[in-house]
Amino acid sequence: MSDLRIAVLGVGMMGADHVARITSRIAGARVSVVNDYLAEKAERVAATVPGCRVIGDPLDAIADSDVDAVLLATPGPTHEKQLLACLEHRKPVLCEKPLTTDVATSLEVVKREVELGHKLIQVGFMRRFDHEYAQLKALLDAGELGAPLVMHCAHRNPSVPPNFDSSMIVKDSLVHEVDVTRFLFGEEIASVQIICPAANSVAPRGLQDPQIAIFRTQSGKHVDVEVFVTTGVAYEVRTEVVGERGSAMIGLDVGLVRRSFPGTWGGQITPSFKERFGQAYDTEVQRWVDAVRSGANVDGPTAWDGYAAAAVCEAGVQSLESGAPVAVELATRIGS
Ligand code: ISE
């Protein structure tokens, strides 16, 4: 079987990382086309891949006959149009989160895919492919902790881009814990509350950082998340589940522990999500490529998962303004 020809749209940090990944570590696929609104950047990335072309218009790239599947790493506001084009051309697509930037258009995308009767969209919630999250999920599914009751999470970034505002902490960062909650507990989130402690004085003015999120799931499970994106330290993502018969924690960065002069000990924390979740991205993309080549097209979070996450984040942004718990409004489930 010949290699899957992938168009990577958007070659900023994440897209360029995916191009390198597909070119050097993924079996059965190659990048045939790249696109970016910064033409020079697209040319630079294309030059690193033998036989790769730049196509200036993302919709032309999707339609191109040299493209079997699409990896979307473009800015969120462009996703709706690009996803609909992928559906129109029946091209499988791995879409970095968010599915789209609002709930109404996310639901529209889900509906269009259901109307097609053909699953084509996978959403890039990469944590589901991380070995530690997969182990935690297996432990819970095997009932080893008894029924899970509570989850405590910390999500810390050393810094974020200058365009980050308080609502992006919800939609861009907390969204991962939204998906992790739905993935680990296998149920929807019923309400969200965002509590705003005193803001970090070294954060950009007006940025509400840190934030404490509280989710209540449909069956009443409690999840709390500290999201703190200007720590100046390193990348830290920890998750602890407490069940009726024990607890389990992941994300302790327990690699090499060194003891040295003058009487210190310790290891290293990963600097960013690219390193922390590097293995997860590799596994995610390899499984997606294998799924597309087998005709299944999707092996991971679906368009519905992207829509459900958008609905929780929208309620979260409302709570950020009011400080009160906000109920999550979800449409009747369609698709899978
Ligand atoms: C970024 O977009 C990511 O997806 C990272 O995983 C997350 O930690 C970060 O907060 C986001 O901005």
Side-chain angles (χ1 to χ4, degrees), residues 13-334:
M13 179 171 68
M14 210 52 244
D17 201 45
H18 281 314
V19 170
R21 161 173 298 107
I22 293 166
T23 306
S24 59
R25 297 197 290 284
I26 299 299
R30 66 182 172 86
V31 180
S32 56
V33 166
V34 294
N35 158 272
D36 197 280
Y37 74 100
L38 298 173
E40 229 180 81
K41 198 193 270 177
E43 292 291 352
R44 235 181 299 129
V45 172
T48 64
V49 183
C52 177
R53 280 183 302 139
V54 173
I55 297 186
D57 181 325
L59 300 186
D60 290 344
I62 292 168
D64 197 83
S65 60
D66 195 26
V67 168
D68 304 312
V70 177
L71 198 160
L72 274 195
T74 43
T78 63
H79 284 185
E80 181 195 0
K81 225 172 162 186
Q82 294 167 0
L83 285 167
L84 293 178
C86 290
L87 293 181
E88 186 190 325
H89 292 283
R90 309 283 194 275
K91 303 243 168 127
V93 51
L94 175 58
C95 174
E96 280 296 349
K97 53 91 187 162
L99 182 63
T100 72
T101 43
D102 66 273
V103 183
T105 55
S106 285
L107 185 57
E108 197 44 45
V109 168
V110 174
K111 284 185 180 157
R112 291 285 278 277
E113 190 193 42
V114 170
E115 277 160 21
L116 260 191
H118 213 56
K119 235 199 281 170
L120 290 170
I121 300 172
Q122 178 164 332
V123 181
F125 287 126
M126 77 298 187
R127 288 194 194 174
R128 295 188 185 209
F129 300 91
D130 173 66
H131 289 329
E132 288 189 320
Y133 278 102
Q135 260 181 305
L136 184 55
K137 169 89 174 136
L139 194 74
L140 293 174
D141 288 354
E144 306 233 349
L145 299 182
L149 303 170
V150 171
M151 180 156 71
H152 305 293
C153 309
H155 182 165
R156 301 191 191 132
N157 294 180
S159 61
V160 279
N163 66 329
F164 235 71
D165 64 21
S166 304
S167 72
M168 286 178 76
I169 295 181
V170 175
K171 291 183 160 195
D172 205 59
S173 304
L174 178 66
V175 66
H176 286 292
E177 276 75 20
V178 170
D179 188 63
V180 159
T181 300
R182 298 181 63 258
F183 172 61
L184 291 178
F185 290 166
E187 57 178 295
E188 297 296 353
I189 295 170
S191 75
V192 190
Q193 180 176 17
I194 308 283
I195 295 166
C196 299
N200 183 8
S201 63
V202 301
R205 260 173 86 85
L207 189 69
Q208 176 53 59
D209 185 49
Q211 298 178 13
I212 309 294
I214 296 180
F215 306 151
R216 196 177 167 82
T217 68
Q218 280 176 343
S219 74
K221 295 180 176 63
H222 164 100
V223 178
D224 51 71
V225 188
E226 173 213 310
V227 202
F228 189 2
V229 300
T230 56
T231 64
V233 180
Y235 193 77
E236 296 173 75
V237 168
R238 279 197 288 280
T239 305
E240 181 182 27
V241 175
V242 185
E244 286 174 337
R245 285 204 308 273
S247 63
M249 186 187 269
I250 58 170
L252 291 173
D253 291 290
V254 190
L256 180 83
V257 177
R258 186 173 104 177
R259 289 159 191 272
S260 52
F261 181 81
T264 55
W265 69 272
Q268 290 213 311
I269 316 177
T270 48
S272 84
F273 57 89
K274 269 178 30 183
E275 298 81 13
R276 167 66 180 85
F277 289 113
Q279 166 273 315
Y281 284 119
D282 285 358
T283 307
E284 172 190 55
V285 174
Q286 185 66 67
R287 280 178 47 183
W288 174 65
V289 164
D290 294 346
V292 173
R293 293 179 89 209
S294 76
N297 293 333
V298 175
D299 181 9
T302 60
W304 176 267
D305 294 314
Y307 157 71
V312 176
C313 290
E314 189 155 287
V317 172
Q318 280 174 38
S319 174
L320 186 60
E321 284 155 19
S322 68
V326 175
V328 176
E329 309 273 351
L330 269 192
T332 307
R333 179 146 195 165
I334 49 170

